[in-house]
mmCIF file of all heavy atoms in Angstrom:
data_model
loop_
_atom_site.group_PDB
_atom_site.id
_atom_site.type_symbol
_atom_site.label_atom_id
_atom_site.label_comp_id
_atom_site.label_asym_id
_atom_site.label_seq_id
_atom_site.Cartn_x
_atom_site.Cartn_y
_atom_site.Cartn_z
ATOM 1 N N ASP A 1 -50.844 -33.816 -18.302
ATOM 2 C CA ASP A 1 -52.184 -34.210 -18.720
ATOM 3 C C ASP A 1 -52.780 -35.160 -17.696
ATOM 4 O O ASP A 1 -52.139 -36.126 -17.293
ATOM 5 C CB ASP A 1 -52.147 -34.911 -20.081
ATOM 6 C CG ASP A 1 -51.988 -33.931 -21.217
ATOM 7 O OD1 ASP A 1 -52.403 -32.768 -21.067
ATOM 8 O OD2 ASP A 1 -51.453 -34.327 -22.261
ATOM 9 N N THR A 2 -53.987 -34.859 -17.285
ATOM 10 C CA THR A 2 -54.655 -35.723 -16.319
ATOM 11 C C THR A 2 -56.059 -36.029 -16.809
ATOM 12 O O THR A 2 -56.659 -35.251 -17.553
ATOM 13 C CB THR A 2 -54.726 -35.058 -14.930
ATOM 14 O OG1 THR A 2 -55.447 -33.826 -15.032
ATOM 15 C CG2 THR A 2 -53.338 -34.783 -14.380
ATOM 16 N N TYR A 3 -56.565 -37.165 -16.408
ATOM 17 C CA TYR A 3 -57.864 -37.588 -16.921
ATOM 18 C C TYR A 3 -58.548 -38.505 -15.917
ATOM 19 O O TYR A 3 -57.895 -39.269 -15.206
ATOM 20 C CB TYR A 3 -57.694 -38.317 -18.265
ATOM 21 C CG TYR A 3 -56.713 -39.457 -18.217
ATOM 22 C CD1 TYR A 3 -57.149 -40.771 -18.005
ATOM 23 C CD2 TYR A 3 -55.345 -39.238 -18.357
ATOM 24 C CE1 TYR A 3 -56.251 -41.818 -17.944
ATOM 25 C CE2 TYR A 3 -54.442 -40.280 -18.284
ATOM 26 C CZ TYR A 3 -54.895 -41.566 -18.079
ATOM 27 O OH TYR A 3 -53.992 -42.606 -18.007
ATOM 28 N N ALA A 4 -59.837 -38.414 -15.873
ATOM 29 C CA ALA A 4 -60.644 -39.360 -15.118
ATOM 30 C C ALA A 4 -61.012 -40.517 -16.048
ATOM 31 O O ALA A 4 -61.025 -40.355 -17.268
ATOM 32 C CB ALA A 4 -61.904 -38.689 -14.601
ATOM 33 N N ILE A 5 -61.293 -41.660 -15.467
ATOM 34 C CA ILE A 5 -61.721 -42.833 -16.245
ATOM 35 C C ILE A 5 -63.073 -43.295 -15.715
ATOM 36 O O ILE A 5 -63.286 -43.405 -14.506
ATOM 37 C CB ILE A 5 -60.713 -43.985 -16.142
ATOM 38 C CG1 ILE A 5 -59.430 -43.651 -16.892
ATOM 39 C CG2 ILE A 5 -61.325 -45.279 -16.674
ATOM 40 C CD1 ILE A 5 -59.553 -43.660 -18.404
ATOM 41 N N GLY A 6 -63.944 -43.566 -16.641
ATOM 42 C CA GLY A 6 -65.235 -44.138 -16.299
ATOM 43 C C GLY A 6 -65.400 -45.497 -16.956
ATOM 44 O O GLY A 6 -64.866 -45.741 -18.039
ATOM 45 N N TRP A 7 -66.112 -46.365 -16.281
ATOM 46 C CA TRP A 7 -66.502 -47.653 -16.867
ATOM 47 C C TRP A 7 -68.008 -47.615 -17.127
ATOM 48 O O TRP A 7 -68.792 -47.219 -16.258
ATOM 49 C CB TRP A 7 -66.183 -48.806 -15.924
ATOM 50 C CG TRP A 7 -64.750 -49.211 -15.898
ATOM 51 C CD1 TRP A 7 -63.806 -48.848 -14.989
ATOM 52 C CD2 TRP A 7 -64.093 -50.064 -16.844
ATOM 53 N NE1 TRP A 7 -62.590 -49.418 -15.293
ATOM 54 C CE2 TRP A 7 -62.738 -50.179 -16.431
ATOM 55 C CE3 TRP A 7 -64.491 -50.764 -17.985
ATOM 56 C CZ2 TRP A 7 -61.802 -50.951 -17.119
ATOM 57 C CZ3 TRP A 7 -63.565 -51.519 -18.669
ATOM 58 C CH2 TRP A 7 -62.236 -51.609 -18.234
ATOM 59 N N PHE A 8 -68.374 -48.057 -18.309
ATOM 60 C CA PHE A 8 -69.773 -48.117 -18.715
ATOM 61 C C PHE A 8 -70.043 -49.513 -19.246
ATOM 62 O O PHE A 8 -69.113 -50.250 -19.580
ATOM 63 C CB PHE A 8 -70.055 -47.075 -19.800
ATOM 64 C CG PHE A 8 -69.840 -45.660 -19.336
ATOM 65 C CD1 PHE A 8 -68.560 -45.115 -19.294
ATOM 66 C CD2 PHE A 8 -70.896 -44.868 -18.931
ATOM 67 C CE1 PHE A 8 -68.338 -43.819 -18.850
ATOM 68 C CE2 PHE A 8 -70.698 -43.581 -18.479
ATOM 69 C CZ PHE A 8 -69.413 -43.055 -18.441
ATOM 70 N N ARG A 9 -71.299 -49.883 -19.334
ATOM 71 C CA ARG A 9 -71.638 -51.195 -19.893
ATOM 72 C C ARG A 9 -72.941 -51.116 -20.670
ATOM 73 O O ARG A 9 -73.806 -50.262 -20.393
ATOM 74 C CB ARG A 9 -71.742 -52.246 -18.779
ATOM 75 C CG ARG A 9 -72.893 -52.040 -17.813
ATOM 76 C CD ARG A 9 -72.817 -53.058 -16.677
ATOM 77 N NE ARG A 9 -73.940 -52.918 -15.736
ATOM 78 C CZ ARG A 9 -74.034 -53.586 -14.599
ATOM 79 N NH1 ARG A 9 -73.093 -54.464 -14.236
ATOM 80 N NH2 ARG A 9 -75.073 -53.394 -13.805
ATOM 81 N N GLN A 10 -73.054 -52.019 -21.626
ATOM 82 C CA GLN A 10 -74.270 -52.095 -22.431
ATOM 83 C C GLN A 10 -74.657 -53.547 -22.618
ATOM 84 O O GLN A 10 -73.900 -54.326 -23.210
ATOM 85 C CB GLN A 10 -74.083 -51.411 -23.785
ATOM 86 C CG GLN A 10 -75.368 -51.304 -24.579
ATOM 87 C CD GLN A 10 -75.232 -50.365 -25.751
ATOM 88 O OE1 GLN A 10 -74.145 -50.080 -26.248
ATOM 89 N NE2 GLN A 10 -76.368 -49.847 -26.215
ATOM 90 N N ALA A 11 -75.805 -53.893 -22.104
ATOM 91 C CA ALA A 11 -76.346 -55.239 -22.254
ATOM 92 C C ALA A 11 -77.182 -55.293 -23.531
ATOM 93 O O ALA A 11 -77.672 -54.260 -24.009
ATOM 94 C CB ALA A 11 -77.191 -55.597 -21.040
ATOM 95 N N PRO A 12 -77.368 -56.483 -24.085
ATOM 96 C CA PRO A 12 -78.168 -56.617 -25.315
ATOM 97 C C PRO A 12 -79.561 -56.024 -25.140
ATOM 98 O O PRO A 12 -80.255 -56.312 -24.169
ATOM 99 C CB PRO A 12 -78.228 -58.132 -25.526
ATOM 100 C CG PRO A 12 -77.028 -58.656 -24.838
ATOM 101 C CD PRO A 12 -76.810 -57.773 -23.651
ATOM 102 N N GLY A 13 -79.948 -55.159 -26.079
ATOM 103 C CA GLY A 13 -81.273 -54.574 -26.051
ATOM 104 C C GLY A 13 -81.469 -53.471 -25.036
ATOM 105 O O GLY A 13 -82.594 -52.983 -24.853
ATOM 106 N N LYS A 14 -80.383 -53.066 -24.371
ATOM 107 C CA LYS A 14 -80.504 -52.019 -23.349
ATOM 108 C C LYS A 14 -79.584 -50.850 -23.677
ATOM 109 O O LYS A 14 -78.643 -50.973 -24.455
ATOM 110 C CB LYS A 14 -80.166 -52.581 -21.966
ATOM 111 C CG LYS A 14 -81.143 -53.641 -21.480
ATOM 112 C CD LYS A 14 -80.833 -54.038 -20.046
ATOM 113 C CE LYS A 14 -81.850 -55.043 -19.524
ATOM 114 N NZ LYS A 14 -81.570 -55.417 -18.103
ATOM 115 N N GLU A 15 -79.871 -49.718 -23.060
ATOM 116 C CA GLU A 15 -79.019 -48.556 -23.242
ATOM 117 C C GLU A 15 -77.734 -48.698 -22.425
ATOM 118 O O GLU A 15 -77.693 -49.416 -21.419
ATOM 119 C CB GLU A 15 -79.767 -47.281 -22.818
ATOM 120 C CG GLU A 15 -80.952 -46.932 -23.708
ATOM 121 C CD GLU A 15 -81.556 -45.592 -23.357
ATOM 122 O OE1 GLU A 15 -81.163 -45.012 -22.339
ATOM 123 O OE2 GLU A 15 -82.441 -45.129 -24.107
ATOM 124 N N ARG A 16 -76.714 -48.002 -22.859
ATOM 125 C CA ARG A 16 -75.459 -48.006 -22.121
ATOM 126 C C ARG A 16 -75.657 -47.294 -20.785
ATOM 127 O O ARG A 16 -76.351 -46.262 -20.731
ATOM 128 C CB ARG A 16 -74.356 -47.343 -22.950
ATOM 129 C CG ARG A 16 -72.974 -47.526 -22.363
ATOM 130 C CD ARG A 16 -71.884 -47.381 -23.416
ATOM 131 N NE ARG A 16 -71.945 -46.133 -24.147
ATOM 132 C CZ ARG A 16 -71.167 -45.859 -25.193
ATOM 133 N NH1 ARG A 16 -70.281 -46.741 -25.612
ATOM 134 N NH2 ARG A 16 -71.263 -44.691 -25.799
ATOM 135 N N GLU A 17 -75.042 -47.833 -19.745
ATOM 136 C CA GLU A 17 -75.186 -47.242 -18.422
ATOM 137 C C GLU A 17 -73.832 -47.096 -17.742
ATOM 138 O O GLU A 17 -72.907 -47.868 -18.000
ATOM 139 C CB GLU A 17 -76.105 -48.097 -17.537
ATOM 140 C CG GLU A 17 -75.620 -49.507 -17.292
ATOM 141 C CD GLU A 17 -76.611 -50.364 -16.515
ATOM 142 O OE1 GLU A 17 -77.811 -50.021 -16.468
ATOM 143 O OE2 GLU A 17 -76.167 -51.387 -15.945
ATOM 144 N N GLY A 18 -73.730 -46.113 -16.872
ATOM 145 C CA GLY A 18 -72.497 -45.912 -16.142
ATOM 146 C C GLY A 18 -72.346 -46.907 -15.018
ATOM 147 O O GLY A 18 -73.325 -47.240 -14.349
ATOM 148 N N VAL A 19 -71.129 -47.382 -14.796
ATOM 149 C CA VAL A 19 -70.858 -48.379 -13.773
ATOM 150 C C VAL A 19 -70.023 -47.796 -12.636
ATOM 151 O O VAL A 19 -70.380 -47.919 -11.465
ATOM 152 C CB VAL A 19 -70.132 -49.596 -14.367
ATOM 153 C CG1 VAL A 19 -69.779 -50.601 -13.275
ATOM 154 C CG2 VAL A 19 -70.982 -50.255 -15.449
ATOM 155 N N SER A 20 -68.912 -47.152 -13.007
ATOM 156 C CA SER A 20 -68.004 -46.637 -11.984
ATOM 157 C C SER A 20 -67.086 -45.607 -12.604
ATOM 158 O O SER A 20 -66.953 -45.529 -13.828
ATOM 159 C CB SER A 20 -67.180 -47.785 -11.398
ATOM 160 O OG SER A 20 -66.331 -47.339 -10.359
ATOM 161 N N CYS A 21 -66.451 -44.804 -11.768
ATOM 162 C CA CYS A 21 -65.464 -43.840 -12.266
ATOM 163 C C CYS A 21 -64.436 -43.565 -11.178
ATOM 164 O O CYS A 21 -64.664 -43.825 -9.986
ATOM 165 C CB CYS A 21 -66.121 -42.544 -12.725
ATOM 166 S SG CYS A 21 -66.888 -41.580 -11.414
ATOM 167 N N ILE A 22 -63.302 -43.020 -11.625
ATOM 168 C CA ILE A 22 -62.238 -42.638 -10.705
ATOM 169 C C ILE A 22 -61.521 -41.431 -11.285
ATOM 170 O O ILE A 22 -61.287 -41.359 -12.495
ATOM 171 C CB ILE A 22 -61.264 -43.825 -10.476
ATOM 172 C CG1 ILE A 22 -60.223 -43.494 -9.404
ATOM 173 C CG2 ILE A 22 -60.589 -44.259 -11.775
ATOM 174 C CD1 ILE A 22 -59.429 -44.721 -8.938
ATOM 175 N N ASN A 23 -61.200 -40.467 -10.433
ATOM 176 C CA ASN A 23 -60.469 -39.315 -10.950
ATOM 177 C C ASN A 23 -58.972 -39.623 -11.005
ATOM 178 O O ASN A 23 -58.523 -40.711 -10.616
ATOM 179 C CB ASN A 23 -60.771 -38.057 -10.138
ATOM 180 C CG ASN A 23 -60.183 -38.080 -8.731
ATOM 181 O OD1 ASN A 23 -59.654 -39.089 -8.275
ATOM 182 N ND2 ASN A 23 -60.299 -36.967 -8.040
ATOM 183 N N TYR A 24 -58.189 -38.670 -11.500
ATOM 184 C CA TYR A 24 -56.778 -38.958 -11.750
ATOM 185 C C TYR A 24 -56.011 -39.214 -10.457
ATOM 186 O O TYR A 24 -55.155 -40.085 -10.389
ATOM 187 C CB TYR A 24 -56.138 -37.802 -12.516
ATOM 188 C CG TYR A 24 -54.738 -38.102 -12.988
ATOM 189 C CD1 TYR A 24 -54.541 -38.857 -14.137
ATOM 190 C CD2 TYR A 24 -53.623 -37.641 -12.285
ATOM 191 C CE1 TYR A 24 -53.267 -39.154 -14.582
ATOM 192 C CE2 TYR A 24 -52.348 -37.935 -12.723
ATOM 193 C CZ TYR A 24 -52.169 -38.685 -13.871
ATOM 194 O OH TYR A 24 -50.912 -38.979 -14.300
ATOM 195 N N SER A 25 -56.331 -38.461 -9.422
ATOM 196 C CA SER A 25 -55.627 -38.627 -8.154
ATOM 197 C C SER A 25 -56.051 -39.889 -7.419
ATOM 198 O O SER A 25 -55.362 -40.337 -6.500
ATOM 199 C CB SER A 25 -55.872 -37.417 -7.249
ATOM 200 O OG SER A 25 -57.217 -37.411 -6.784
ATOM 201 N N GLY A 26 -57.188 -40.464 -7.807
ATOM 202 C CA GLY A 26 -57.707 -41.642 -7.122
ATOM 203 C C GLY A 26 -58.529 -41.309 -5.892
ATOM 204 O O GLY A 26 -59.067 -42.202 -5.240
ATOM 205 N N GLY A 27 -58.642 -40.029 -5.584
ATOM 206 C CA GLY A 27 -59.353 -39.620 -4.386
ATOM 207 C C GLY A 27 -60.856 -39.544 -4.540
ATOM 208 O O GLY A 27 -61.585 -39.397 -3.554
ATOM 209 N N SER A 28 -61.332 -39.624 -5.759
ATOM 210 C CA SER A 28 -62.764 -39.588 -6.012
ATOM 211 C C SER A 28 -63.167 -40.815 -6.810
ATOM 212 O O SER A 28 -62.609 -41.072 -7.877
ATOM 213 C CB SER A 28 -63.138 -38.321 -6.790
ATOM 214 O OG SER A 28 -64.487 -38.359 -7.211
ATOM 215 N N THR A 29 -64.090 -41.580 -6.276
ATOM 216 C CA THR A 29 -64.635 -42.728 -6.994
ATOM 217 C C THR A 29 -66.152 -42.694 -6.875
ATOM 218 O O THR A 29 -66.700 -42.057 -5.970
ATOM 219 C CB THR A 29 -64.120 -44.071 -6.456
ATOM 220 O OG1 THR A 29 -64.489 -44.186 -5.066
ATOM 221 C CG2 THR A 29 -62.612 -44.189 -6.574
ATOM 222 N N ASN A 30 -66.799 -43.399 -7.786
ATOM 223 C CA ASN A 30 -68.253 -43.433 -7.815
ATOM 224 C C ASN A 30 -68.705 -44.780 -8.364
ATOM 225 O O ASN A 30 -68.011 -45.355 -9.224
ATOM 226 C CB ASN A 30 -68.787 -42.319 -8.724
ATOM 227 C CG ASN A 30 -69.781 -41.428 -8.026
ATOM 228 O OD1 ASN A 30 -70.541 -41.883 -7.173
ATOM 229 N ND2 ASN A 30 -69.761 -40.165 -8.373
ATOM 230 N N TYR A 31 -69.837 -45.267 -7.875
ATOM 231 C CA TYR A 31 -70.362 -46.548 -8.350
ATOM 232 C C TYR A 31 -71.875 -46.449 -8.504
ATOM 233 O O TYR A 31 -72.550 -45.760 -7.727
ATOM 234 C CB TYR A 31 -70.070 -47.659 -7.340
ATOM 235 C CG TYR A 31 -68.608 -47.901 -7.059
ATOM 236 C CD1 TYR A 31 -67.955 -47.231 -6.036
ATOM 237 C CD2 TYR A 31 -67.875 -48.817 -7.830
ATOM 238 C CE1 TYR A 31 -66.613 -47.451 -5.784
ATOM 239 C CE2 TYR A 31 -66.536 -49.044 -7.578
ATOM 240 C CZ TYR A 31 -65.916 -48.350 -6.542
ATOM 241 O OH TYR A 31 -64.576 -48.578 -6.300
ATOM 242 N N ARG A 32 -72.400 -47.169 -9.482
ATOM 243 C CA ARG A 32 -73.859 -47.266 -9.536
ATOM 244 C C ARG A 32 -74.310 -48.177 -8.402
ATOM 245 O O ARG A 32 -73.554 -49.049 -7.943
ATOM 246 C CB ARG A 32 -74.334 -47.779 -10.881
ATOM 247 C CG ARG A 32 -74.033 -49.211 -11.203
ATOM 248 C CD ARG A 32 -74.594 -49.599 -12.581
ATOM 249 N NE ARG A 32 -76.036 -49.481 -12.667
ATOM 250 C CZ ARG A 32 -76.661 -48.529 -13.362
ATOM 251 N NH1 ARG A 32 -75.962 -47.636 -14.039
ATOM 252 N NH2 ARG A 32 -77.979 -48.480 -13.405
ATOM 253 N N ASP A 33 -75.528 -47.966 -7.954
ATOM 254 C CA ASP A 33 -75.999 -48.676 -6.765
ATOM 255 C C ASP A 33 -75.915 -50.190 -6.895
ATOM 256 O O ASP A 33 -75.581 -50.893 -5.936
ATOM 257 C CB ASP A 33 -77.438 -48.260 -6.446
ATOM 258 C CG ASP A 33 -77.536 -46.853 -5.883
ATOM 259 O OD1 ASP A 33 -76.485 -46.299 -5.476
ATOM 260 O OD2 ASP A 33 -78.647 -46.304 -5.859
ATOM 261 N N SER A 34 -76.207 -50.709 -8.069
ATOM 262 C CA SER A 34 -76.286 -52.163 -8.230
ATOM 263 C C SER A 34 -74.935 -52.863 -8.133
ATOM 264 O O SER A 34 -74.897 -54.096 -8.012
ATOM 265 C CB SER A 34 -76.956 -52.510 -9.565
ATOM 266 O OG SER A 34 -76.191 -52.013 -10.637
ATOM 267 N N VAL A 35 -73.836 -52.125 -8.180
ATOM 268 C CA VAL A 35 -72.515 -52.760 -8.095
ATOM 269 C C VAL A 35 -71.759 -52.388 -6.826
ATOM 270 O O VAL A 35 -70.672 -52.914 -6.578
ATOM 271 C CB VAL A 35 -71.639 -52.428 -9.332
ATOM 272 C CG1 VAL A 35 -72.385 -52.753 -10.618
ATOM 273 C CG2 VAL A 35 -71.160 -50.981 -9.305
ATOM 274 N N LYS A 36 -72.321 -51.503 -6.025
ATOM 275 C CA LYS A 36 -71.656 -51.095 -4.783
ATOM 276 C C LYS A 36 -71.436 -52.308 -3.886
ATOM 277 O O LYS A 36 -72.328 -53.128 -3.703
ATOM 278 C CB LYS A 36 -72.497 -50.047 -4.061
ATOM 279 C CG LYS A 36 -72.430 -48.675 -4.685
ATOM 280 C CD LYS A 36 -73.281 -47.673 -3.922
ATOM 281 C CE LYS A 36 -73.223 -46.301 -4.573
ATOM 282 N NZ LYS A 36 -74.094 -45.315 -3.884
ATOM 283 N N GLY A 37 -70.238 -52.406 -3.342
ATOM 284 C CA GLY A 37 -69.895 -53.524 -2.479
ATOM 285 C C GLY A 37 -69.402 -54.745 -3.228
ATOM 286 O O GLY A 37 -68.879 -55.679 -2.621
ATOM 287 N N ARG A 38 -69.557 -54.746 -4.549
ATOM 288 C CA ARG A 38 -69.101 -55.877 -5.361
ATOM 289 C C ARG A 38 -67.966 -55.490 -6.298
ATOM 290 O O ARG A 38 -67.080 -56.299 -6.566
ATOM 291 C CB ARG A 38 -70.263 -56.447 -6.183
ATOM 292 C CG ARG A 38 -71.424 -56.943 -5.367
ATOM 293 C CD ARG A 38 -72.452 -57.677 -6.243
ATOM 294 N NE ARG A 38 -73.046 -56.825 -7.261
ATOM 295 C CZ ARG A 38 -73.003 -57.088 -8.567
ATOM 296 N NH1 ARG A 38 -72.383 -58.169 -9.006
ATOM 297 N NH2 ARG A 38 -73.602 -56.272 -9.411
#
């Protein structure tokens, strides 16, 4: 069994948004623009 993991966040009064993700092998990652580099 393999799975990707995503991180999401929800601030008060705002919709939930995607932050980052990684696939099972670790070879694929993604970030929202506002957190890239941090």
Side-chain angles (χ1 to χ4, degrees):
D1 283 333
T2 60
Y3 53 95
I5 290 288
W7 282 98
F8 298 81
R9 67 186 182 187
Q10 188 167 22
K14 295 186 177 181
E15 293 187 352
R16 190 157 55 187
E17 61 185 19
V19 177
S20 183
C21 66
I22 186 168
N23 70 352
Y24 188 80
S25 71
S28 172
T29 60
N30 234 326
Y31 300 90
R32 69 179 298 108
D33 287 345
S34 62
V35 307
K36 285 180 181 177
R38 300 188 298 123

